[in-house]
Amino acid sequence: MSTLPPAESGPVSVGMIGLGNMGLPMALNLLRASGPDRHIRKVTVTGRSRERSAALLAAGAAWAGTPRELAEQSDVLILMVPDLPQVEEVLFGPDGVAEASTELVVVVSATVSAAGLRTVDARLRHGTHGRMVLVDAPVSGGTEGAEAGTLSIMVGGDVEPVARVLPVLSACGSPLRLGPLGAGAVAKACNQLIVAATMSAIAEASVIAERSGLDLGALLDLLQGGYAGSRVLETKGRRLVERDYTPTGAAKFMVKDLSFAAAAAADTRTVAPTLAAVRESFLRLTEAGLGDQDLAVIHRYVGSL
């Protein structure tokens, strides 16, 4: 059972670990939403290199030397790290979050396994006698959404800790509680299936169009105005035309994300042929050495077949 204070207890101090392509702009938005008479009192960060956080520190963030020190200074701690092994390292490693004596809601914004997340939560609650609990809050919207503060944020967790973090997450986009812990992870798995399938269809259609002699840029602009239009087409279409696969998010991570979707499908006895097909495609393109490039690189992969 959690011993966290009620959500209406006042302004909160927010900590953040994971200041990469997504985490850095999210932290900047948290800073912009902080100050006197605001819900966020202050923002503190930590990481492997203080120098990489220079822009945040210049903007007003505080620095903590270790995850434990960061936890001691925070009411809500957001983790934007790659996967559960990194979450466990931050929580349970030397000078980890779980060694702090404070009450804390830890928000896992990575794309992770729902079952694994619940296991980590049970360990954290037991080890801290209920002082610390997890909420999952994976995001969608890419670096563009992270910078603009317009991310879709899929939240899972107990009602009380979720109530504490929703106003904080609102600085980064639109958070919505979808159910108990793990609901956010399942929602993100569904999101990634749709994104991967859409990107794959756009790539295949683009190769067909190019080989048929069509002006690809004109075609994709036209398609965006009809039923084929999507956020994926809007943000990735120009990349296909220009063969620009510079990563905003590496395609190889889709293999992991789609594995979580496959696990959710198995748990719910759902036959998902589209999921199986797109998972295979991203696995093969990663094996072909394209995984470090942008999601749009599936266009190059399809063209090589």
Side-chain angles (χ1 to χ4, degrees):
M1 176 182 244
S2 171
T3 60
L4 294 169
E8 62 272 12
S9 57
V12 297
S13 295
V14 180
M16 188 153 191
I17 298 176
L19 303 173
N21 291 338
M22 296 293 292
L24 178 60
M26 289 173 65
L28 286 170
N29 282 320
L30 291 169
L31 276 170
R32 296 184 187 109
S34 67
D37 303 320
R38 308 290 292 275
H39 183 77
I40 300 174
R41 181 188 301 112
K42 69 172 184 176
V43 177
T44 307
V45 299
T46 194
R48 300 185 189 280
S49 169
R50 181 167 182 156
E51 289 70 28
R52 292 186 62 183
S53 303
L56 281 171
L57 301 180
W63 175 261
T66 65
R68 176 180 180 173
E69 182 182 335
L70 181 63
E72 296 281 4
Q73 299 179 39
S74 304
D75 303 302
V76 172
L77 174 58
I78 300 172
L79 305 183
M80 181 55 81
V81 296
D83 203 349
L84 277 180
Q86 292 77 29
V87 171
E88 292 179 297
E89 179 184 356
V90 166
L91 294 179
F92 308 118
D95 278 322
V97 169
E99 294 182 14
S101 59
T102 50
E103 296 167 339
L104 185 66
V105 181
V106 179
V107 180
V108 178
S109 286
T111 302
V112 301
S113 158
L117 186 77
R118 288 188 283 265
T119 298
V120 172
D121 178 61
R123 180 182 175 187
L124 183 64
R125 288 177 185 248
H126 177 76
T128 63
H129 305 288
R131 288 183 292 101
M132 298 184 187
V133 301
L134 292 189
V135 164
D136 64 319
V139 304
S140 181
T143 54
E144 304 93 345
E147 291 166 1
T150 57
L151 293 169
S152 295
I153 307 175
M154 297 155 266
V155 184
D158 292 345
V159 172
E160 183 178 83
V162 166
R164 291 183 62 76
V165 305
L166 287 181
V168 172
L169 294 174
S170 292
C172 301
S174 300
L176 178 66
R177 180 181 184 267
L178 297 168
L181 187 70
V186 173
K188 182 60 184 289
C190 294
N191 179 89
Q192 295 302 81
L193 168 56
I194 295 170
V195 170
T198 304
M199 188 71 252
S200 298
I202 293 169
E204 291 176 15
S206 295
V207 173
I208 293 170
E210 289 174 309
R211 291 178 177 176
S212 300
L214 277 64
D215 180 326
L216 182 59
L219 173 64
L220 295 183
D221 287 344
L222 181 66
L223 294 181
Q224 183 60 26
Y227 276 173
S230 68
R231 179 67 173 156
V232 176
L233 179 55
E234 178 186 351
T235 58
K236 302 297 186 183
R238 186 51 48 184
R239 285 177 169 269
L240 272 59
V241 175
E242 298 174 358
R243 285 357 188 227
D244 177 12
Y245 309 131
T246 306
T248 57
K252 64 185 178 184
F253 294 134
M254 191 59 80
V255 177
K256 168 180 72 79
D257 296 353
L258 294 175
S259 294
F260 299 148
D267 288 344
T268 57
R269 299 181 181 179
T270 302
V271 177
T274 299
L275 168 57
V278 295
R279 183 185 178 195
E280 180 73 9
S281 292
F282 279 96
L283 177 61
R284 295 304 176 204
L285 75 81
T286 299
E287 291 174 344
L290 302 176
D292 289 327
Q293 300 186 62
D294 190 78
L295 188 68
V297 79
I298 195 168
H299 173 244
R300 177 178 170 186
Y301 171 72
V302 171
S304 71
L305 297 177

Short mmCIF file of all heavy atoms in Angstrom, two decimals, residues 118-166:
data_model
loop_
_atom_site.label_atom_id
_atom_site.label_comp_id
_atom_site.label_asym_id
_atom_site.label_seq_id
_atom_site.Cartn_x
_atom_site.Cartn_y
_atom_site.Cartn_z
N ARG A 118 5.26 -4.14 -14.22
CA ARG A 118 4.55 -4.48 -12.98
C ARG A 118 5.48 -5.21 -12.01
O ARG A 118 5.38 -5.03 -10.79
CB ARG A 118 3.31 -5.31 -13.32
CG ARG A 118 2.20 -4.48 -13.97
CD ARG A 118 0.91 -5.27 -14.11
NE ARG A 118 0.96 -6.22 -15.20
CZ ARG A 118 0.50 -5.98 -16.44
NH1 ARG A 118 -0.02 -4.80 -16.73
NH2 ARG A 118 0.56 -6.91 -17.37
N THR A 119 6.41 -6.00 -12.53
CA THR A 119 7.39 -6.68 -11.68
C THR A 119 8.30 -5.67 -11.00
O THR A 119 8.59 -5.77 -9.80
CB THR A 119 8.22 -7.67 -12.51
OG1 THR A 119 7.36 -8.66 -13.07
CG2 THR A 119 9.28 -8.35 -11.66
N VAL A 120 8.76 -4.68 -11.76
CA VAL A 120 9.63 -3.64 -11.19
C VAL A 120 8.87 -2.83 -10.15
O VAL A 120 9.41 -2.48 -9.08
CB VAL A 120 10.16 -2.72 -12.31
CG1 VAL A 120 10.91 -1.52 -11.72
CG2 VAL A 120 11.10 -3.50 -13.23
N ASP A 121 7.61 -2.53 -10.41
CA ASP A 121 6.80 -1.77 -9.45
C ASP A 121 6.66 -2.53 -8.13
O ASP A 121 6.80 -1.94 -7.05
CB ASP A 121 5.42 -1.49 -10.04
CG ASP A 121 4.50 -0.75 -9.08
OD1 ASP A 121 4.85 0.37 -8.68
OD2 ASP A 121 3.46 -1.32 -8.71
N ALA A 122 6.40 -3.83 -8.21
CA ALA A 122 6.27 -4.63 -6.99
C ALA A 122 7.57 -4.62 -6.19
O ALA A 122 7.56 -4.50 -4.96
CB ALA A 122 5.88 -6.07 -7.35
N ARG A 123 8.70 -4.72 -6.89
CA ARG A 123 10.00 -4.69 -6.21
C ARG A 123 10.24 -3.34 -5.56
O ARG A 123 10.73 -3.25 -4.42
CB ARG A 123 11.11 -5.00 -7.21
CG ARG A 123 12.51 -4.98 -6.61
CD ARG A 123 13.56 -5.25 -7.67
NE ARG A 123 14.90 -5.11 -7.13
CZ ARG A 123 16.02 -5.15 -7.86
NH1 ARG A 123 15.94 -5.33 -9.18
NH2 ARG A 123 17.20 -4.99 -7.27
N LEU A 124 9.89 -2.26 -6.26
CA LEU A 124 10.10 -0.91 -5.73
C LEU A 124 9.22 -0.66 -4.52
O LEU A 124 9.68 -0.13 -3.49
CB LEU A 124 9.81 0.13 -6.82
CG LEU A 124 10.06 1.59 -6.43
CD1 LEU A 124 11.53 1.84 -6.14
CD2 LEU A 124 9.57 2.53 -7.54
N ARG A 125 7.95 -1.03 -4.60
CA ARG A 125 7.04 -0.84 -3.47
C ARG A 125 7.51 -1.62 -2.25
O ARG A 125 7.53 -1.10 -1.12
CB ARG A 125 5.63 -1.27 -3.85
CG ARG A 125 4.91 -0.35 -4.82
CD ARG A 125 3.54 -0.92 -5.19
NE ARG A 125 2.87 -0.14 -6.21
CZ ARG A 125 1.77 0.57 -6.00
NH1 ARG A 125 1.23 0.64 -4.81
NH2 ARG A 125 1.21 1.24 -7.01
N HIS A 126 7.91 -2.88 -2.48
CA HIS A 126 8.35 -3.72 -1.36
C HIS A 126 9.62 -3.15 -0.74
O HIS A 126 9.73 -3.06 0.50
CB HIS A 126 8.59 -5.14 -1.85
CG HIS A 126 9.11 -6.06 -0.79
ND1 HIS A 126 8.29 -6.58 0.20
CD2 HIS A 126 10.36 -6.54 -0.54
CE1 HIS A 126 9.02 -7.34 1.01
NE2 HIS A 126 10.28 -7.33 0.58
N GLY A 127 10.57 -2.76 -1.58
CA GLY A 127 11.85 -2.28 -1.06
C GLY A 127 11.78 -0.94 -0.36
O GLY A 127 12.67 -0.63 0.45
N THR A 128 10.76 -0.15 -0.66
CA THR A 128 10.63 1.18 -0.03
C THR A 128 9.44 1.24 0.92
O THR A 128 9.06 2.33 1.36
CB THR A 128 10.47 2.27 -1.11
OG1 THR A 128 9.26 2.06 -1.85
CG2 THR A 128 11.66 2.27 -2.07
N HIS A 129 8.86 0.09 1.23
CA HIS A 129 7.70 0.02 2.15
C HIS A 129 6.56 0.94 1.69
O HIS A 129 5.90 1.58 2.50
CB HIS A 129 8.13 0.38 3.57
CG HIS A 129 9.28 -0.46 4.07
ND1 HIS A 129 9.13 -1.78 4.42
CD2 HIS A 129 10.60 -0.16 4.25
CE1 HIS A 129 10.30 -2.27 4.81
NE2 HIS A 129 11.21 -1.32 4.71
N GLY A 130 6.37 0.98 0.36
CA GLY A 130 5.26 1.74 -0.19
C GLY A 130 5.51 3.22 -0.38
O GLY A 130 4.61 3.94 -0.82
N ARG A 131 6.72 3.67 -0.06
CA ARG A 131 7.02 5.10 -0.23
C ARG A 131 7.16 5.49 -1.70
O ARG A 131 6.98 6.66 -2.05
CB ARG A 131 8.31 5.47 0.51
CG ARG A 131 8.19 5.49 2.02
CD ARG A 131 9.49 5.93 2.67
NE ARG A 131 10.57 4.95 2.50
CZ ARG A 131 11.54 5.05 1.60
NH1 ARG A 131 11.57 6.09 0.78
NH2 ARG A 131 12.47 4.11 1.52
N MET A 132 7.51 4.53 -2.53
CA MET A 132 7.71 4.81 -3.95
C MET A 132 6.85 3.87 -4.79
O MET A 132 6.76 2.67 -4.49
CB MET A 132 9.18 4.65 -4.34
CG MET A 132 10.11 5.61 -3.63
SD MET A 132 11.83 5.42 -4.23
CE MET A 132 12.67 6.49 -3.06
N VAL A 133 6.23 4.43 -5.84
CA VAL A 133 5.40 3.64 -6.74
C VAL A 133 5.68 4.07 -8.18
O VAL A 133 6.17 5.18 -8.42
CB VAL A 133 3.90 3.81 -6.44
CG1 VAL A 133 3.57 3.38 -5.02
CG2 VAL A 133 3.46 5.26 -6.68
N LEU A 134 5.35 3.20 -9.10
CA LEU A 134 5.51 3.50 -10.52
C LEU A 134 4.20 3.94 -11.15
O LEU A 134 3.12 3.47 -10.78
CB LEU A 134 6.03 2.29 -11.28
CG LEU A 134 7.44 1.78 -11.04
CD1 LEU A 134 7.79 0.71 -12.07
CD2 LEU A 134 8.47 2.91 -11.09
N VAL A 135 4.32 4.80 -12.12
CA VAL A 135 3.26 5.14 -13.08
C VAL A 135 3.90 4.99 -14.45
O VAL A 135 5.06 5.39 -14.64
CB VAL A 135 2.76 6.58 -12.86
CG1 VAL A 135 1.97 7.07 -14.06
CG2 VAL A 135 1.92 6.67 -11.59
N ASP A 136 3.21 4.38 -15.39
CA ASP A 136 3.78 4.34 -16.75
C ASP A 136 3.11 5.40 -17.60
O ASP A 136 1.90 5.61 -17.53
CB ASP A 136 3.72 2.94 -17.37
CG ASP A 136 2.31 2.40 -17.60
OD1 ASP A 136 1.46 2.60 -16.73
OD2 ASP A 136 2.09 1.76 -18.64
N ALA A 137 3.95 6.08 -18.40
CA ALA A 137 3.45 7.19 -19.22
C ALA A 137 4.26 7.32 -20.49
O ALA A 137 4.92 8.34 -20.73
CB ALA A 137 3.48 8.49 -18.42
N PRO A 138 4.26 6.29 -21.36
CA PRO A 138 4.95 6.42 -22.64
C PRO A 138 4.31 7.49 -23.49
O PRO A 138 3.14 7.85 -23.30
CB PRO A 138 4.81 5.02 -23.25
CG PRO A 138 3.62 4.43 -22.60
CD PRO A 138 3.59 4.98 -21.21
N VAL A 139 5.09 8.00 -24.44
CA VAL A 139 4.64 9.15 -25.22
C VAL A 139 4.69 8.83 -26.71
O VAL A 139 5.41 7.94 -27.16
CB VAL A 139 5.50 10.39 -24.93
CG1 VAL A 139 5.49 10.70 -23.44
CG2 VAL A 139 6.95 10.19 -25.42
N SER A 140 3.92 9.60 -27.47
CA SER A 140 3.95 9.52 -28.93
C SER A 140 3.88 10.92 -29.49
O SER A 140 3.20 11.80 -28.94
CB SER A 140 2.77 8.69 -29.45
OG SER A 140 2.80 8.59 -30.86
N GLY A 141 4.60 11.13 -30.58
CA GLY A 141 4.62 12.46 -31.19
C GLY A 141 5.99 12.84 -31.70
O GLY A 141 6.15 13.88 -32.34
N GLY A 142 6.98 12.02 -31.38
CA GLY A 142 8.33 12.26 -31.90
C GLY A 142 8.98 13.48 -31.30
O GLY A 142 8.46 14.15 -30.41
N THR A 143 10.17 13.78 -31.82
CA THR A 143 10.90 14.94 -31.30
C THR A 143 10.15 16.24 -31.58
O THR A 143 10.25 17.19 -30.80
CB THR A 143 12.30 15.00 -31.94
OG1 THR A 143 12.19 14.99 -33.37
CG2 THR A 143 13.15 13.82 -31.50
N GLU A 144 9.36 16.24 -32.68
CA GLU A 144 8.59 17.45 -32.98
C GLU A 144 7.58 17.73 -31.87
O GLU A 144 7.44 18.86 -31.40
CB GLU A 144 7.86 17.31 -34.31
CG GLU A 144 8.75 16.99 -35.50
CD GLU A 144 8.89 15.50 -35.78
OE1 GLU A 144 8.53 14.69 -34.90
OE2 GLU A 144 9.36 15.16 -36.87
N GLY A 145 6.89 16.67 -31.43
CA GLY A 145 5.92 16.82 -30.35
C GLY A 145 6.57 17.13 -29.02
O GLY A 145 6.02 17.88 -28.21
N ALA A 146 7.75 16.54 -28.79
CA ALA A 146 8.46 16.82 -27.53
C ALA A 146 8.87 18.28 -27.46
O ALA A 146 8.76 18.92 -26.40
CB ALA A 146 9.69 15.92 -27.42
N GLU A 147 9.33 18.83 -28.58
CA GLU A 147 9.75 20.23 -28.60
C GLU A 147 8.56 21.17 -28.47
O GLU A 147 8.64 22.19 -27.78
CB GLU A 147 10.51 20.51 -29.89
CG GLU A 147 11.87 19.82 -29.95
CD GLU A 147 12.48 19.80 -31.34
OE1 GLU A 147 11.84 20.37 -32.27
OE2 GLU A 147 13.57 19.23 -31.50
N ALA A 148 7.46 20.83 -29.12
CA ALA A 148 6.28 21.71 -29.11
C ALA A 148 5.42 21.54 -27.86
O ALA A 148 4.52 22.34 -27.60
CB ALA A 148 5.42 21.45 -30.35
N GLY A 149 5.68 20.49 -27.06
CA GLY A 149 4.85 20.23 -25.89
C GLY A 149 3.48 19.70 -26.26
O GLY A 149 2.50 19.96 -25.56
N THR A 150 3.42 18.91 -27.35
CA THR A 150 2.13 18.41 -27.84
C THR A 150 2.09 16.88 -27.88
O THR A 150 1.33 16.30 -28.66
CB THR A 150 1.86 18.96 -29.25
OG1 THR A 150 2.93 18.60 -30.14
CG2 THR A 150 1.72 20.48 -29.22
N LEU A 151 2.90 16.22 -27.08
CA LEU A 151 2.93 14.77 -27.07
C LEU A 151 1.60 14.17 -26.62
O LEU A 151 0.90 14.75 -25.79
CB LEU A 151 4.03 14.28 -26.12
CG LEU A 151 5.47 14.58 -26.53
CD1 LEU A 151 6.41 14.27 -25.37
CD2 LEU A 151 5.87 13.80 -27.78
N SER A 152 1.25 13.02 -27.18
CA SER A 152 0.18 12.20 -26.63
C SER A 152 0.80 11.31 -25.56
O SER A 152 1.76 10.58 -25.85
CB SER A 152 -0.47 11.35 -27.73
OG SER A 152 -1.13 12.16 -28.67
N ILE A 153 0.28 11.36 -24.34
CA ILE A 153 0.91 10.69 -23.21
C ILE A 153 -0.07 9.67 -22.65
O ILE A 153 -1.14 10.02 -22.14
CB ILE A 153 1.34 11.70 -22.14
CG1 ILE A 153 2.20 12.80 -22.77
CG2 ILE A 153 2.10 10.99 -21.02
CD1 ILE A 153 2.59 13.92 -21.82
N MET A 154 0.30 8.40 -22.73
CA MET A 154 -0.57 7.27 -22.38
C MET A 154 -0.24 6.80 -20.98
O MET A 154 0.82 6.23 -20.75
CB MET A 154 -0.36 6.16 -23.41
CG MET A 154 -0.78 6.58 -24.81
SD MET A 154 0.04 5.66 -26.15
CE MET A 154 1.42 6.74 -26.51
N VAL A 155 -1.14 7.03 -20.03
CA VAL A 155 -0.82 6.86 -18.62
C VAL A 155 -1.52 5.65 -18.02
O VAL A 155 -2.71 5.42 -18.26
CB VAL A 155 -1.21 8.14 -17.83
CG1 VAL A 155 -0.79 8.01 -16.36
CG2 VAL A 155 -0.58 9.38 -18.46
N GLY A 156 -0.77 4.89 -17.23
CA GLY A 156 -1.34 3.78 -16.47
C GLY A 156 -0.84 3.81 -15.04
O GLY A 156 0.30 4.18 -14.78
N GLY A 157 -1.71 3.46 -14.10
CA GLY A 157 -1.29 3.46 -12.70
C GLY A 157 -2.46 3.64 -11.77
O GLY A 157 -3.60 3.87 -12.20
N ASP A 158 -2.19 3.51 -10.47
CA ASP A 158 -3.22 3.73 -9.46
C ASP A 158 -3.72 5.16 -9.51
O ASP A 158 -2.98 6.09 -9.86
CB ASP A 158 -2.67 3.43 -8.06
CG ASP A 158 -2.37 1.95 -7.86
OD1 ASP A 158 -2.84 1.13 -8.68
OD2 ASP A 158 -1.67 1.61 -6.88
N VAL A 159 -4.96 5.37 -9.10
CA VAL A 159 -5.60 6.67 -9.25
C VAL A 159 -4.84 7.77 -8.52
O VAL A 159 -4.61 8.85 -9.08
CB VAL A 159 -7.06 6.60 -8.75
CG1 VAL A 159 -7.68 8.00 -8.71
CG2 VAL A 159 -7.89 5.69 -9.64
N GLU A 160 -4.42 7.53 -7.27
CA GLU A 160 -3.79 8.59 -6.49
C GLU A 160 -2.46 9.06 -7.07
O GLU A 160 -2.26 10.27 -7.30
CB GLU A 160 -3.61 8.14 -5.04
CG GLU A 160 -3.02 9.22 -4.15
CD GLU A 160 -2.91 8.75 -2.70
OE1 GLU A 160 -1.91 8.07 -2.38
OE2 GLU A 160 -3.83 9.07 -1.94
N PRO A 161 -1.50 8.16 -7.36
CA PRO A 161 -0.25 8.65 -7.95
C PRO A 161 -0.44 9.25 -9.33
O PRO A 161 0.24 10.23 -9.68
CB PRO A 161 0.65 7.41 -7.98
CG PRO A 161 -0.25 6.25 -7.82
CD PRO A 161 -1.41 6.73 -7.01
N VAL A 162 -1.37 8.73 -10.11
CA VAL A 162 -1.64 9.31 -11.41
C VAL A 162 -2.15 10.73 -11.27
O VAL A 162 -1.77 11.63 -12.02
CB VAL A 162 -2.63 8.45 -12.22
CG1 VAL A 162 -3.16 9.21 -13.44
CG2 VAL A 162 -1.96 7.16 -12.68
N ALA A 163 -3.02 10.97 -10.29
CA ALA A 163 -3.53 12.31 -10.06
C ALA A 163 -2.41 13.29 -9.74
O ALA A 163 -2.49 14.48 -10.08
CB ALA A 163 -4.56 12.30 -8.92
N ARG A 164 -1.35 12.80 -9.11
CA ARG A 164 -0.22 13.67 -8.78
C ARG A 164 0.61 14.02 -10.01
O ARG A 164 1.18 15.11 -10.09
CB ARG A 164 0.68 13.01 -7.73
CG ARG A 164 0.03 12.91 -6.36
CD ARG A 164 0.98 12.32 -5.32
NE ARG A 164 2.17 13.13 -5.11
CZ ARG A 164 2.19 14.26 -4.41
NH1 ARG A 164 1.07 14.73 -3.86
NH2 ARG A 164 3.31 14.92 -4.25
N VAL A 165 0.68 13.11 -10.98
CA VAL A 165 1.58 13.35 -12.11
C VAL A 165 0.90 13.99 -13.32
O VAL A 165 1.58 14.58 -14.15
CB VAL A 165 2.29 12.05 -12.54
CG1 VAL A 165 3.01 11.43 -11.37
CG2 VAL A 165 1.34 11.05 -13.17
N LEU A 166 -0.43 13.89 -13.43
CA LEU A 166 -1.10 14.43 -14.61
C LEU A 166 -0.83 15.92 -14.82
O LEU A 166 -0.53 16.34 -15.96
CB LEU A 166 -2.60 14.17 -14.56
CG LEU A 166 -3.05 12.72 -14.80
CD1 LEU A 166 -4.58 12.63 -14.74
CD2 LEU A 166 -2.55 12.19 -16.13
#
